[in-house]
């Protein structure tokens, strides 16, 4: 039991802020060894302990302002996926080539967790903890599932080596681990293609206006949030006029920069109009827009200089129990915090807006965690990826840096520059090789300006979309079926 719990904790340490990426395979290896030789039911129980050791320390930001119950409930729910993985491992552990089947089972549980329930919760995928490690390069080939598979295979192969050594099958064991390490090294050492800053390129500005206060009620002073972003844009314009910073071609404001609907509030529209005139460039404005039927949309709105609102992206993947409340009538009776959930409705489309004649992929905050959303935008012609986000509702927690790691993986996966604009930090400019070129401090008003390349080429991961994940998942299901049949024959 202690080893299973410790295995989960080691998995957690691979994620920001610790970012000890090399401990993820060790955690997987210990978990696989801890469930060796026990029943599927017993493995399920030990796997659940490992899941708690993993998700409880990973997700405390969920409850920073609403208490421990939502945090622990979400961690307990996500831990079921690790329990299922452990049960699957008990089924396939005796099959030839078990290390590969075990790794496939981990990726399969991640695939399910990214879709169920309530649209899924991809947080905690092994790939998101590898942005400082050599396996990040695999993202350009097979995306996040490929990176997760490589990490899991390293862990399961290590476990197989330990078992082999215990059985005095040293040569066979070392050969297995050597093969895995050579393959992973070859893939991980592949050069990450990076578009050169020649032409075409754009000068992009990110404006971080900061908020009057943190927490769920940060937008109680909605006009102050908008005014902060206008003021910091005006300050940037002054820096441009003084020659301190280059003039931007386009400006990105974060999610919730204007929680005042500019279509219904003339004063908000006037403030945004003035900001575009002052900076001399169109602004992507994160706004809350009313639908007129009692619901709202989380919108990234292109505001053109002189002409006002133009292209728009409505957030497609909403945060359950935050931006909307599943089973509202039931949950409202169970939790006093239910009343704080929003009444947003999802948008549709491909997530691409055109700003300054540039096709821009918009992955609003939570959306960056979902493979299919970013992939669809890039395949639809986006040459640059923007992640407008509002992390003020999570305070000074690890959530910001965990999300930044996801953005770094997306940069490599699609060979696109990624720009992250946050209300209160961290805003960042990420090169196509995953390096963070510039970033702001938390809880400060700031602006970043950089010339970034535009790219139209697709990586293999972009072309394949979800095919690698599908193949891995089907392989895992087949292996589990074979393992189940073999276990019945042994019992018979």
């Amino acid at each position: 039991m202690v080893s299973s719990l410790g295995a989960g904790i080691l998995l957690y340490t691979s994620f920001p802020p610790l970012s000890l990426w090399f401990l993820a395979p060790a955690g997987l290896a210990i978990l696989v060894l801890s469930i060796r030789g026990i029943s599927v039911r017993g493995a399920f129980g030990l796997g659940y302990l490992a899941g708690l050791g993993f998700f409880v320390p990973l997700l405390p930001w969920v409850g920073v302002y609403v208490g421990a119950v939502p945090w622990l409930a979400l961690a307990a729910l996500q831990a079921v996926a690790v329990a299922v993985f452990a049960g699957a491992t008990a089924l396939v552990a005796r099959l030839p080539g078990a290390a590969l089947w075990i790794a496939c089972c981990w990726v399969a549980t991640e695939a399910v967790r990214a879709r169920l329930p309530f649209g899924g919760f991809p947080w905690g995928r092994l790939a998101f903890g590898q942005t400082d490690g050599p396996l990040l390069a695999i993202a350009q080939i097979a995306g996040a599932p490929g990176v997760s598979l490589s990490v899991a295979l390293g862990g399961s192969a290590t476990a197989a080596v330990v078992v082999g050594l215990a059985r005095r099958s040293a040569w066979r064991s070392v050969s297995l681990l050597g093969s895995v390490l050579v393959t992973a090294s070859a893939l991980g050492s592949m050069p990450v293609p990076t578009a050169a800053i020649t032409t075409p390129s754009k000068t992009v500005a990110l404006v971080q206006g900061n908020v009057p206060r943190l927490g769920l009620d940060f937008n109680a002073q909605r006009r102050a949030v908008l005014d902060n972003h206008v003021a910091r844009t005006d300050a940037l314009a002054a820096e441009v006029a003084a020659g301190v910073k280059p003039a931007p071609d386009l400006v990105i404001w974060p999610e919730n920069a204007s929680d005042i609907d500019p279509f219904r509030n003339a004063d908000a529209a006037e403030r945004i109009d003035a900001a575009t005139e002052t900076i001399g460039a169109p602004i992507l404005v994160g706004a809350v827009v009313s639908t007129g039927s009692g619901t709202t949309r989380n919108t990234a709105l292109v505001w053109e200089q002189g002409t006002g609102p133009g292209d728009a992206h409505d957030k497609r993947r909403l945060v359950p129990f935050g931006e909307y409340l599943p089973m509202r009538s039931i949950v409202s009776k169970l939790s006093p915090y239910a009343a704080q959930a929003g009444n947003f409705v999802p948008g549709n489309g491909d997530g691409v807006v055109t700003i300054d004649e540039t096709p821009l992929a918009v992955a609003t905050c939570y959306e960056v965690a979902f493979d299919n959303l970013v992939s669809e935008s890039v395949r639809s012609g986006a040459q640059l990826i923007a992640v407008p986000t509002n992390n003020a509702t999570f305070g000074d927690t690890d959530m910001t840096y965990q999300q930044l790691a996801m953005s770094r993986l997306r940069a490599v996966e699609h060979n696109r520059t990624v720009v992250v604009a946050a209300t209160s930090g961290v805003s960042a400019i990420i090169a196509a090789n995953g390096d963070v070129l510039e970033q702001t401090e938390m809880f400060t008003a700031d602006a970043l300006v950089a010339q970034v390349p535009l790219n139209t080429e697709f990586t293999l991961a972009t072309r394949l979309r979800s095919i690698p994940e599908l193949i891995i998942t089907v392989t895992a299901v087949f292996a589990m079926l074979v393992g189940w049949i073999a276990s019945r024959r042994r019992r018979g």
Side-chain angles (χ1 to χ4, degrees):
M1 293 178 65
V2 174
S3 62
S4 297
L5 190 63
I9 294 173
L10 285 178
L11 291 177
Y12 156 71
T13 63
S14 68
F15 289 81
L18 298 177
S19 298
L20 303 176
W21 54 268
F22 49 86
L23 291 182
L28 257 296
I30 292 172
L31 176 57
V32 171
L33 290 171
S34 70
I35 60 181
R36 177 174 170 75
I38 65 175
S39 67
V40 172
R41 182 178 297 179
F44 187 93
L46 292 179
Y48 192 73
L49 281 177
L52 292 177
F54 178 25
F55 285 107
V56 169
L58 185 73
L59 303 176
W61 49 267
V62 172
V64 66
Y65 292 115
V66 296
V69 173
W71 156 40
L72 296 176
L74 180 60
L77 178 62
Q78 296 301 310
V80 173
V82 183
V84 171
F85 161 75
T89 297
L91 280 177
V92 305
R94 294 188 181 185
L95 298 178
L100 178 59
W101 317 136
I102 290 170
C104 288
C105 288
W106 179 275
V107 177
T109 58
E110 285 191 345
V112 174
R113 194 166 59 80
R115 292 165 174 83
L116 299 172
F118 310 121
F121 185 75
W123 229 269
R125 296 171 72 178
L126 290 182
F128 296 150
Q130 297 297 308
T131 50
D132 288 322
L135 296 180
L136 177 61
I138 297 172
Q140 65 186 305
I141 303 170
V147 178
S148 287
L149 179 70
S150 302
V151 178
L153 183 56
S156 58
T158 301
V161 167
V162 172
V163 172
L165 292 174
R167 291 177 172 176
R168 299 183 181 180
S169 303
W171 173 247
R172 186 176 178 182
S173 301
V174 172
S175 297
L176 171 63
L177 184 60
S179 299
V180 171
L181 291 178
V182 168
T183 303
S185 298
L187 293 173
S189 61
M190 291 183 61
V192 178
T194 305
I197 302 181
T198 54
T199 52
S201 66
K202 290 288 182 181
T203 301
V204 180
L206 309 178
V207 173
Q208 178 176 303
N210 209 5
V211 296
R213 58 175 175 268
L214 301 178
L216 295 179
D217 65 341
F218 84 96
N219 60 353
Q221 298 184 40
R222 295 179 298 168
R223 180 55 187 262
V225 176
L226 174 57
D227 286 347
N228 283 356
H229 285 85
V230 170
R232 191 59 190 86
T233 303
D234 290 346
L236 173 61
E239 293 171 324
V240 170
V244 176
K245 290 185 177 179
D249 297 311
L250 57 99
V251 179
I252 310 293
W253 281 5
E255 178 188 31
N256 298 127
S258 178
D259 271 357
I260 304 174
D261 185 347
F263 293 106
R264 292 174 174 264
N265 296 271
D267 58 333
E270 289 170 1
R271 296 290 285 154
I272 299 171
D273 270 332
T276 61
E277 291 296 331
T278 303
I279 196 62
I283 301 175
L284 185 73
V285 179
V288 173
V289 177
S290 173
T291 65
S293 59
T295 59
T296 50
R297 294 189 185 276
N298 189 334
T299 300
L301 180 64
V302 176
W303 204 279
E304 301 283 358
Q305 180 185 4
T307 60
D311 211 353
H313 162 71
D314 295 323
K315 189 174 182 180
R316 294 177 286 172
R317 192 60 57 91
L318 301 175
V319 181
F321 304 99
E323 290 177 306
Y324 78 102
L325 190 62
M327 305 176 295
R328 183 176 290 271
S329 60
I330 298 174
V331 175
S332 297
K333 297 176 182 178
L334 298 176
S335 172
Y337 299 110
Q340 299 184 53
N343 197 21
F344 286 85
V345 292
N348 48 37
D350 56 16
V352 179
V353 299
T354 299
I355 180 170
D356 192 48
E357 301 180 346
T358 303
L360 176 71
V362 182
T364 304
C365 195
Y366 186 54
E367 291 184 316
V368 75
F370 293 86
D371 296 347
N372 63 314
L373 298 183
V374 183
S375 178
E376 181 184 5
S377 297
V378 174
R379 287 176 60 86
S380 297
Q383 300 173 17
L384 177 69
I385 300 172
V387 183
T389 181
N390 171 28
N391 297 332
T393 48
F394 301 106
D396 187 11
T397 65
D398 302 338
M399 181 270 187
T400 294
Y401 299 99
Q402 291 169 7
Q403 188 184 62
L404 184 64
M406 298 177 193
S407 300
R408 293 177 62 190
L409 184 137
R410 298 303 177 207
V412 175
E413 183 179 21
H414 300 293
N415 189 27
R416 297 291 190 274
T417 300
V418 177
V419 291
V420 181
T423 49
S424 56
V426 169
S427 302
I429 297 171
I430 303 169
N433 65 357
D435 288 346
V436 179
L437 302 180
E438 294 183 64
Q439 70 179 62
T440 62
E441 297 294 328
M442 293 282 285
F443 317 129
T444 58
D446 204 349
L448 301 177
V449 184
Q451 184 185 13
V452 301
L454 305 178
N455 191 18
T456 58
E457 299 295 322
F458 291 168
T459 64
L460 183 59
T462 307
R463 295 181 186 277
L464 292 177
R465 295 178 290 179
S466 60
I467 292 175
E469 186 177 55
L470 178 61
I471 293 173
I472 294 167
T473 301
V474 170
T475 301
V477 172
F478 180 75
M480 285 187 283
L481 178 61
V482 173
W484 177 73
I485 294 172
S487 67
R488 285 181 63 85
R489 287 179 176 175
R490 284 194 299 268
R491 288 197 298 270

